């Protein structure tokens, strides 16, 4: 579990360092499980959406971390208020914490 949470922290720092997401569109109605805000959630782009906007080494790191936390149909998001990462279920309009 410690390794999993360390990976979450690495992804969180990567998102902060690279200013992700590159698109700034709020997902209204999805509430942050950490701070309670519902107007600051942004969906992170999948690696294939960012391949032209990032250094190849960084792209590989992002892709590896992305794959670790997503499964079929899942997506990742970030609360731009508290900077915590969330697993998004867009079809259900809900989020879950990444930390275990």
């Amino acid at each position: 579990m410690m390794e999993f949470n360390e990976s979450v922290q690495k992804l969180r720092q990567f998102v902060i360092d690279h200013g992700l997401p590159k698109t700034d569109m709020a997902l209204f109605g999805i509430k942050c499980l950490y701070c309670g805000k519902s107007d600051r959630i942004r969906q992170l782009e999948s690696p294939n959406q960012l391949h032209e906007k990032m250094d190849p080494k960084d792209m590989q790191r992002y892709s590896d971390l992305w794959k670790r936390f997503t499964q079929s149909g899942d997506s990742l998001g970030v609360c731009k208020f508290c900077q915590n990462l969330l697993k998004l279920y867009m079809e259900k309009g809900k989020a879950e914490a990444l930390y275990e």
Side-chain angles (χ1 to χ4, degrees), residues 8-44:
V8 172
Q9 278 293 49
K10 286 179 184 178
L11 180 58
R12 181 176 184 240
Q13 192 59 51
F14 189 92
V15 166
I16 292 168
D17 291 347
H18 290 84
L20 298 178
K22 296 294 185 187
T23 55
D24 191 32
M25 189 170 91
L27 300 174
F28 292 100
I30 297 178
K31 188 176 184 178
C32 178
L33 301 163
Y34 300 100
C35 71
K37 298 281 186 187
S38 61
D39 61 342
R40 304 297 301 269
I41 308 301
R42 307 293 191 271
Q43 185 174 11
L44 292 173

Side-chain angles (χ1 to χ4, degrees), residues 9-98:
Q9 278 293 49
K10 286 179 184 178
L11 180 58
R12 181 176 184 240
Q13 192 59 51
F14 189 92
V15 166
I16 292 168
D17 291 347
H18 290 84
L20 298 178
K22 296 294 185 187
T23 55
D24 191 32
M25 189 170 91
L27 300 174
F28 292 100
I30 297 178
K31 188 176 184 178
C32 178
L33 301 163
Y34 300 100
C35 71
K37 298 281 186 187
S38 61
D39 61 342
R40 304 297 301 269
I41 308 301
R42 307 293 191 271
Q43 185 174 11
L44 292 173
E45 295 94 346
S46 67
N48 62 350
Q49 293 173 307
L50 290 175
H51 66 353
E52 295 175 5
K53 300 177 182 178
M54 204 177 290
D55 177 84
K57 283 184 184 177
D58 288 340
M59 191 67 247
Q60 186 60 51
R61 254 182 55 214
Y62 183 64
S63 182
D64 291 345
L65 289 165
W66 176 272
K67 288 174 188 170
R68 174 156 191 166
F69 299 113
T70 57
Q71 317 224 333
S72 61
D74 300 352
S75 187
L76 296 176
V78 62
C79 175
K80 295 304 278 185
F81 182 77
C82 68
Q83 295 296 324
N84 280 302
L85 299 173
L86 302 162
K87 184 175 281 196
L88 301 176
Y89 299 94
M90 301 301 289
E91 67 283 349
K92 297 177 184 176
K94 71 174 198 160
E96 288 182 357
L98 275 184

